[in-house]
Amino acid sequence: MQRTAVSDYSPSRAPLEATLSIEDTRTEWWHDVAMSNDDDVRRLALALPETEERTAYGTPAFYVGKKMFARLHEQPEVLVCWRADMGEREALLQGEPEIFFTTPHYDGYPSVLVRLGRISNPRLGEILQEAWEARATPGIRRDA
């Protein structure tokens, strides 16, 4: 089977409904793309400077200094990831609804939920880096 590169993504091949359930994580265009899992989150997050893994809400969470920037959600294959602001959050939710979503619990917070089964490792690395940058202190960012 030929693997599809992330750069081959076409919006016309992907559903745009924001109501996709996590159970649909291995359908349509992304089923042939190497996708992410909890181990990838851990590997990519811990590669960032001054990051440590702790537990938050009973799940693995990743901190830079005293601030959490990402954590695995209670729902399998879902990551909670902080953004710099609400504008950035909305851009992800509107621009890539097959990957990013939210629930009423996160209304008013600059964070998104990430469907790990639909995000490539390079894209996950970018999202984690941005979350780290949004939460790291200026001193930590300067020294990184």
Side-chain angles (χ1 to χ4, degrees), residues 113-126:
L113 299 173
V114 182
R115 292 178 178 95
L116 294 177
R118 292 194 181 159
I119 191 168
S120 68
N121 282 323
R123 181 72 172 121
L124 176 62
E126 292 171 4

Side-chain angles (χ1 to χ4, degrees), residues 2-143:
Q2 183 177 8
R3 303 208 44 96
T4 304
V6 172
S7 61
D8 293 340
Y9 165 73
S10 167
S12 64
R13 293 173 50 201
L16 296 179
E17 299 84 20
T19 58
L20 295 172
S21 70
I22 198 65
E23 289 78 27
D24 296 332
T25 58
R26 303 267 183 221
T27 61
E28 299 298 327
W29 66 270
W30 45 80
H31 78 281
D32 287 338
V33 179
M35 292 302 165
S36 303
N37 60 39
D38 294 0
D39 292 334
D40 297 317
V41 171
R42 181 172 284 109
R43 177 180 52 80
L44 292 167
L46 292 175
L48 296 168
E50 297 199 37
T51 296
E52 64 180 58
E53 182 175 341
R54 301 181 203 156
T55 301
Y57 306 102
T59 65
F62 303 93
Y63 289 77
V64 56
K66 295 180 180 182
K67 293 185 178 182
M68 184 186 334
F69 66 93
R71 79 171 179 89
L72 294 171
H73 194 272
E74 297 83 14
Q75 186 173 1
E77 294 191 37
V78 175
L79 176 71
V80 181
C81 203
W82 273 254
R83 309 314 306 150
D85 56 45
M86 294 298 286
E88 188 178 311
R89 172 189 188 255
E90 290 306 313
L92 289 174
L93 293 172
Q94 296 297 315
E96 299 174 82
E98 67 280 357
I99 297 173
F100 303 102
F101 70 107
T102 191
T103 64
H105 177 78
Y106 295 98
D107 286 351
Y109 295 98
S111 59
V112 293
L113 299 173
V114 182
R115 292 178 178 95
L116 294 177
R118 292 194 181 159
I119 191 168
S120 68
N121 282 323
R123 181 72 172 121
L124 176 62
E126 292 171 4
I127 293 299
L128 288 168
Q129 174 75 38
E130 292 166 0
W132 181 93
E133 290 170 357
R135 303 289 284 173
T137 64
I140 291 174
R141 285 195 309 269
R142 183 183 57 248
D143 294 341

